[in-house]
Amino acid sequence: MSIDSLDARLLALLADEPRIGVLECSRRLRVARGTVQARLDKLTERGVVRGFGPEIDPAALGFGVTAFVTLEISQRYGHDPVAAHLAEIPEVLEAYTITGSGDLLCRIVARSNADLQRVIDRVVGYEGIVRASTIIALAEQIPYRTMPLVREAAS
Amino acid sequence: MSIDSLDARLLALLADEPRIGVLECSRRLRVARGTVQARLDKLTERGVVRGFGPEIDPAALGFGVTAFVTLEISQRYGHDPVAAHLAEIPEVLEAYTITGSGDLLCRIVARSNADLQRVIDRVVGYEGIVRASTIIALAEQIPYRTMPLVREAAS
DNA sequence: GGTGAAAGGTCATTAAG
DNA sequence: CTTAATGACCTTTCACC
């Protein structure tokens, strides 16, 4: 069901130095290269590893402002058409339906506070959305991480 | 300052098929291999590409419950000791200081709703935290994405 | 374990800002 | 003049059978 210590060490190693290959991993972990390959294959097919795509930093692209916006949805509209509307806005990085009276929480980025206003205007410019409440992120105290969780799952 | 169309197409290609190499990218994009390498190096050193680490799916590790928790911080404590406390909890995937009266917003995962209670108890078991308000994510309407933003930045 | 194939580096040339 | 792209060559290293 879950993962073991070798899986966790393998993932930590790849997170640390993503460009090293399977052979190099086997040397660092003192196991056969076939073992590393088998572990990686299993982790991938089980969905633990989604992929090795490039991680983009929105701030480096000029989108230095992050905000969390809670949307109140009109009951007459479902979530899906609203989600479809949000999906068309590039600055909406993710969106979740949350507990409460038909609400959505989404993460939005913008080039500046003024630009954030433009993005929010575009978000709420849809009749299914009744109200939006915006929370601006001032500082990133803990950047997105999963490694501690991997270690936790292995123990 | 920003990126151009070739950068965007390169990032989209790598996001789509992460396992292809530099040479394959150059063939797909009809440019020289050195060009692809130079673009990737520049994107990396400018911080646009943070890395190529494995993307871990917490749900596949058994942490299927996601929650957003807003913490109210006692003014006598700074944010930093609270952030240090949160950093020790593996289930806290990220944390931001947000606008408002000394608050923090963090993303938390747990194995179940019952397990979420345990995690939140651990989070609030710190004297610098006055109050916690929890929002549970019911469904992922838009999974985390950056590609639309990359296209936006390139245009 | 062996083999075909890439990665990564350097170079000279050419083009464009 | 500076920056970028190109094709060529080379050596090391890896992935796959």
Side-chain angles (χ1 to χ4, degrees):
Chain A
M1 174 65 185
S2 200
I3 64 176
D4 69 357
S5 166
L6 180 58
D7 289 322
R9 278 179 292 141
L10 176 58
L11 290 174
L13 179 60
L14 284 172
D16 223 43
E17 303 172 64
R19 307 229 66 130
I20 66 177
V22 175
L23 188 56
E24 184 64 24
C25 288
S26 71
R27 276 194 288 257
R28 304 278 185 94
L29 298 174
R30 307 290 180 86
V31 294
R33 61 170 180 250
T35 307
V36 172
Q37 254 161 359
R39 293 302 184 108
L40 266 185
D41 288 346
K42 268 172 209 156
L43 287 172
T44 302
E45 73 184 48
R46 279 169 49 199
V48 175
V49 174
R50 279 184 172 170
F52 290 84
E55 298 162 28
I56 308 297
D57 181 11
L61 282 177
F63 296 86
V65 176
T66 296
F68 295 91
V69 180
T70 305
L71 302 176
E72 194 175 325
I73 307 297
S74 163
Q75 276 85 349
R76 296 186 297 105
Y77 293 78
H79 289 120
D80 293 351
V82 177
H85 166 244
L86 293 176
E88 287 173 0
I89 306 173
E91 289 88 352
V92 176
L93 299 191
E94 52 184 339
Y96 296 87
T97 61
I98 55 178
T99 48
S101 56
D103 282 340
L104 274 165
L105 176 62
C106 53
R107 177 203 298 249
I108 287 176
V109 292
R111 298 182 183 275
S112 64
N113 284 341
D115 189 48
L116 180 60
Q117 186 61 55
R118 175 189 63 82
V119 177
I120 291 175
D121 284 346
R122 184 169 172 195
V123 167
V124 298
Y126 184 80
E127 46 185 352
I129 299 177
V130 174
R131 209 169 59 89
S133 116
T134 304
I135 289 171
I136 295 181
L138 300 174
E140 195 177 50
Q141 294 288 344
I142 300 179
Y144 186 74
R145 59 174 193 178
T146 46
M147 271 307 128
L149 199 66
V150 168
R151 278 189 288 271
E152 173 79 3
S155 58
Chain B
M1 179 61 186
S2 201
I3 64 177
D4 69 357
S5 166
L6 180 58
D7 290 321
R9 276 180 293 143
L10 176 57
L11 290 174
L13 181 59
L14 283 172
D16 223 42
E17 302 172 63
R19 307 226 66 129
I20 67 176
V22 176
L23 186 57
E24 184 64 23
C25 287
S26 72
R27 277 195 286 257
R28 305 277 186 94
L29 299 174
R30 307 290 179 85
V31 293
R33 175 183 64 98
T35 305
V36 172
Q37 260 165 352
R39 293 302 185 109
L40 268 183
D41 287 346
K42 267 170 213 157
L43 287 172
T44 302
E45 73 184 47
R46 281 169 48 198
V48 175
V49 174
R50 279 183 173 172
F52 290 85
E55 296 163 29
I56 309 297
D57 181 11
L61 282 176
F63 296 86
V65 176
T66 297
F68 295 91
V69 180
T70 305
L71 302 176
E72 193 176 324
I73 307 298
S74 164
Q75 276 85 350
R76 299 187 294 105
Y77 294 78
H79 288 120
D80 293 351
V82 177
H85 166 244
L86 293 175
E88 287 173 358
I89 305 173
E91 289 88 352
V92 176
L93 298 191
E94 52 184 339
Y96 296 87
T97 62
I98 55 177
T99 48
S101 57
D103 282 340
L104 275 165
L105 175 63
C106 52
R107 177 202 299 247
I108 287 176
V109 293
R111 297 182 183 275
S112 63
N113 284 341
D115 189 48
L116 180 61
Q117 186 61 56
R118 175 190 63 83
V119 177
I120 291 176
D121 284 346
R122 185 170 172 194
V123 167
V124 298
Y126 184 80
E127 45 184 353
I129 297 176
V130 175
R131 208 169 60 87
S133 115
T134 305
I135 288 170
I136 295 181
L138 300 174
E140 197 177 48
Q141 294 287 345
I142 300 179
Y144 185 74
R145 59 173 193 178
T146 46
M147 270 307 126
L149 200 65
V150 167
R151 277 189 288 271
E152 173 81 3
S155 58

Short mmCIF file of all heavy atoms in Angstrom, two decimals, chain B residues 31-35 39 42, chain D residues 3-9:
data_model
loop_
_atom_site.label_atom_id
_atom_site.label_comp_id
_atom_site.label_asym_id
_atom_site.label_seq_id
_atom_site.Cartn_x
_atom_site.Cartn_y
_atom_site.Cartn_z
N VAL B 31 15.10 23.29 -33.85
CA VAL B 31 16.22 24.20 -33.56
C VAL B 31 17.44 23.36 -33.21
O VAL B 31 17.34 22.15 -33.02
CB VAL B 31 15.90 25.16 -32.39
CG1 VAL B 31 14.81 26.13 -32.76
CG2 VAL B 31 15.53 24.38 -31.15
N ALA B 32 18.59 24.02 -33.11
CA ALA B 32 19.82 23.29 -32.79
C ALA B 32 19.81 22.84 -31.33
O ALA B 32 19.18 23.46 -30.48
CB ALA B 32 21.02 24.17 -33.05
N ARG B 33 20.55 21.77 -31.08
CA ARG B 33 20.59 21.23 -29.73
C ARG B 33 21.19 22.25 -28.76
O ARG B 33 20.73 22.40 -27.63
CB ARG B 33 21.44 19.96 -29.71
CG ARG B 33 21.66 19.36 -28.36
CD ARG B 33 22.58 18.16 -28.46
NE ARG B 33 23.91 18.54 -28.90
CZ ARG B 33 24.92 18.75 -28.08
NH1 ARG B 33 24.76 18.62 -26.78
NH2 ARG B 33 26.09 19.08 -28.55
N GLY B 34 22.23 22.97 -29.22
CA GLY B 34 22.85 23.98 -28.37
C GLY B 34 21.87 25.06 -27.96
O GLY B 34 21.94 25.60 -26.85
N THR B 35 20.95 25.39 -28.85
CA THR B 35 19.94 26.40 -28.54
C THR B 35 19.06 25.94 -27.40
O THR B 35 18.81 26.69 -26.44
CB THR B 35 19.08 26.68 -29.78
OG1 THR B 35 19.93 27.03 -30.86
CG2 THR B 35 18.10 27.80 -29.52
N ARG B 39 18.84 27.75 -23.79
CA ARG B 39 17.56 28.25 -23.26
C ARG B 39 17.28 27.65 -21.88
O ARG B 39 16.89 28.35 -20.95
CB ARG B 39 16.42 27.89 -24.22
CG ARG B 39 16.48 28.61 -25.55
CD ARG B 39 16.47 30.11 -25.36
NE ARG B 39 16.40 30.80 -26.63
CZ ARG B 39 15.32 31.46 -27.04
NH1 ARG B 39 14.25 31.50 -26.29
NH2 ARG B 39 15.34 32.10 -28.19
N LYS B 42 19.54 29.16 -19.23
CA LYS B 42 19.14 30.52 -18.85
C LYS B 42 17.87 30.52 -18.03
O LYS B 42 17.75 31.27 -17.05
CB LYS B 42 18.97 31.37 -20.11
CG LYS B 42 20.23 32.12 -20.49
CD LYS B 42 20.09 32.74 -21.86
CE LYS B 42 21.44 32.75 -22.56
NZ LYS B 42 21.31 32.81 -24.02
P DT D 3 26.74 40.97 -23.85
OP1 DT D 3 26.18 41.48 -22.59
OP2 DT D 3 28.02 40.21 -23.87
"O5'" DT D 3 25.64 40.06 -24.56
"C5'" DT D 3 24.41 40.67 -24.99
"C4'" DT D 3 23.71 39.75 -25.97
"O4'" DT D 3 24.39 39.76 -27.25
"C3'" DT D 3 23.67 38.27 -25.53
"O3'" DT D 3 22.31 37.87 -25.39
"C2'" DT D 3 24.38 37.52 -26.65
"C1'" DT D 3 24.25 38.49 -27.82
N1 DT D 3 25.30 38.33 -28.86
C2 DT D 3 24.91 38.16 -30.18
O2 DT D 3 23.74 38.15 -30.51
N3 DT D 3 25.94 38.02 -31.07
C4 DT D 3 27.29 38.02 -30.78
O4 DT D 3 28.12 37.87 -31.67
C5 DT D 3 27.63 38.19 -29.39
C7 DT D 3 29.07 38.20 -28.98
C6 DT D 3 26.63 38.34 -28.51
P DA D 4 22.01 36.37 -24.93
OP1 DA D 4 20.76 36.41 -24.14
OP2 DA D 4 23.24 35.78 -24.36
"O5'" DA D 4 21.70 35.64 -26.32
"C5'" DA D 4 20.72 36.20 -27.19
"C4'" DA D 4 20.69 35.42 -28.49
"O4'" DA D 4 21.92 35.67 -29.22
"C3'" DA D 4 20.59 33.90 -28.33
"O3'" DA D 4 19.47 33.44 -29.07
"C2'" DA D 4 21.90 33.36 -28.91
"C1'" DA D 4 22.32 34.48 -29.85
N9 DA D 4 23.78 34.56 -30.02
C8 DA D 4 24.73 34.75 -29.07
N7 DA D 4 25.96 34.79 -29.53
C5 DA D 4 25.79 34.59 -30.90
C6 DA D 4 26.72 34.51 -31.96
N6 DA D 4 28.04 34.63 -31.79
N1 DA D 4 26.22 34.31 -33.20
C2 DA D 4 24.90 34.18 -33.35
N3 DA D 4 23.93 34.24 -32.43
C4 DA D 4 24.45 34.45 -31.21
P DA D 5 19.03 31.91 -28.91
OP1 DA D 5 17.55 31.94 -28.83
OP2 DA D 5 19.81 31.28 -27.83
"O5'" DA D 5 19.44 31.25 -30.29
"C5'" DA D 5 19.01 31.86 -31.49
"C4'" DA D 5 19.73 31.21 -32.66
"O4'" DA D 5 21.12 31.62 -32.65
"C3'" DA D 5 19.72 29.69 -32.63
"O3'" DA D 5 19.20 29.19 -33.85
"C2'" DA D 5 21.18 29.30 -32.44
"C1'" DA D 5 21.91 30.51 -33.00
N9 DA D 5 23.23 30.70 -32.40
C8 DA D 5 23.53 30.87 -31.08
N7 DA D 5 24.81 31.02 -30.84
C5 DA D 5 25.38 30.97 -32.10
C6 DA D 5 26.72 31.06 -32.54
N6 DA D 5 27.75 31.25 -31.71
N1 DA D 5 26.95 30.96 -33.85
C2 DA D 5 25.91 30.77 -34.69
N3 DA D 5 24.62 30.66 -34.39
C4 DA D 5 24.42 30.77 -33.07
P DT D 6 18.90 27.65 -34.05
OP1 DT D 6 17.69 27.60 -34.90
OP2 DT D 6 18.90 27.00 -32.74
"O5'" DT D 6 20.12 27.08 -34.88
"C5'" DT D 6 20.55 27.76 -36.06
"C4'" DT D 6 21.90 27.27 -36.48
"O4'" DT D 6 22.90 27.76 -35.57
"C3'" DT D 6 22.06 25.75 -36.47
"O3'" DT D 6 22.11 25.28 -37.81
"C2'" DT D 6 23.39 25.51 -35.74
"C1'" DT D 6 24.00 26.90 -35.66
N1 DT D 6 24.85 27.13 -34.46
C2 DT D 6 26.19 27.25 -34.61
O2 DT D 6 26.76 27.18 -35.70
N3 DT D 6 26.88 27.46 -33.45
C4 DT D 6 26.36 27.57 -32.16
O4 DT D 6 27.07 27.76 -31.20
C5 DT D 6 24.92 27.42 -32.08
C7 DT D 6 24.24 27.51 -30.75
C6 DT D 6 24.24 27.21 -33.21
P DG D 7 21.60 23.78 -38.13
OP1 DG D 7 20.88 23.83 -39.42
OP2 DG D 7 20.96 23.21 -36.93
"O5'" DG D 7 22.98 23.01 -38.36
"C5'" DG D 7 23.89 23.50 -39.33
"C4'" DG D 7 25.28 23.00 -38.99
"O4'" DG D 7 25.72 23.61 -37.75
"C3'" DG D 7 25.41 21.48 -38.80
"O3'" DG D 7 26.43 21.00 -39.65
"C2'" DG D 7 25.75 21.33 -37.32
"C1'" DG D 7 26.44 22.65 -37.01
N9 DG D 7 26.42 23.05 -35.61
C8 DG D 7 25.35 23.00 -34.74
N7 DG D 7 25.64 23.44 -33.54
C5 DG D 7 26.96 23.81 -33.63
C6 DG D 7 27.84 24.36 -32.64
O6 DG D 7 27.58 24.63 -31.48
N1 DG D 7 29.11 24.59 -33.15
C2 DG D 7 29.49 24.34 -34.44
N2 DG D 7 30.76 24.63 -34.76
N3 DG D 7 28.71 23.81 -35.37
C4 DG D 7 27.46 23.58 -34.89
P DA D 8 26.73 19.46 -39.76
OP1 DA D 8 26.93 19.13 -41.18
OP2 DA D 8 25.74 18.71 -38.94
"O5'" DA D 8 28.14 19.36 -39.02
"C5'" DA D 8 29.21 20.24 -39.37
"C4'" DA D 8 30.33 20.10 -38.34
"O4'" DA D 8 29.93 20.78 -37.14
"C3'" DA D 8 30.60 18.65 -37.95
"O3'" DA D 8 31.86 18.22 -38.45
"C2'" DA D 8 30.59 18.64 -36.42
"C1'" DA D 8 30.52 20.12 -36.05
N9 DA D 8 29.67 20.35 -34.87
C8 DA D 8 28.34 20.09 -34.75
N7 DA D 8 27.85 20.40 -33.58
C5 DA D 8 28.94 20.88 -32.87
C6 DA D 8 29.08 21.37 -31.57
N6 DA D 8 28.08 21.46 -30.70
N1 DA D 8 30.31 21.77 -31.18
C2 DA D 8 31.33 21.69 -32.06
N3 DA D 8 31.31 21.25 -33.32
C4 DA D 8 30.07 20.86 -33.66
P DC D 9 32.19 16.67 -38.34
OP1 DC D 9 33.15 16.38 -39.43
OP2 DC D 9 30.96 15.88 -38.18
"O5'" DC D 9 32.99 16.62 -36.95
"C5'" DC D 9 34.15 17.42 -36.75
"C4'" DC D 9 34.52 17.38 -35.28
"O4'" DC D 9 33.48 18.01 -34.51
"C3'" DC D 9 34.67 15.97 -34.71
"O3'" DC D 9 36.02 15.73 -34.31
"C2'" DC D 9 33.76 15.94 -33.49
"C1'" DC D 9 33.46 17.40 -33.25
N1 DC D 9 32.11 17.59 -32.65
C2 DC D 9 31.99 18.15 -31.37
O2 DC D 9 33.02 18.49 -30.77
N3 DC D 9 30.77 18.30 -30.82
C4 DC D 9 29.68 17.92 -31.49
N4 DC D 9 28.50 18.10 -30.91
C5 DC D 9 29.78 17.35 -32.79
C6 DC D 9 31.00 17.20 -33.34
#
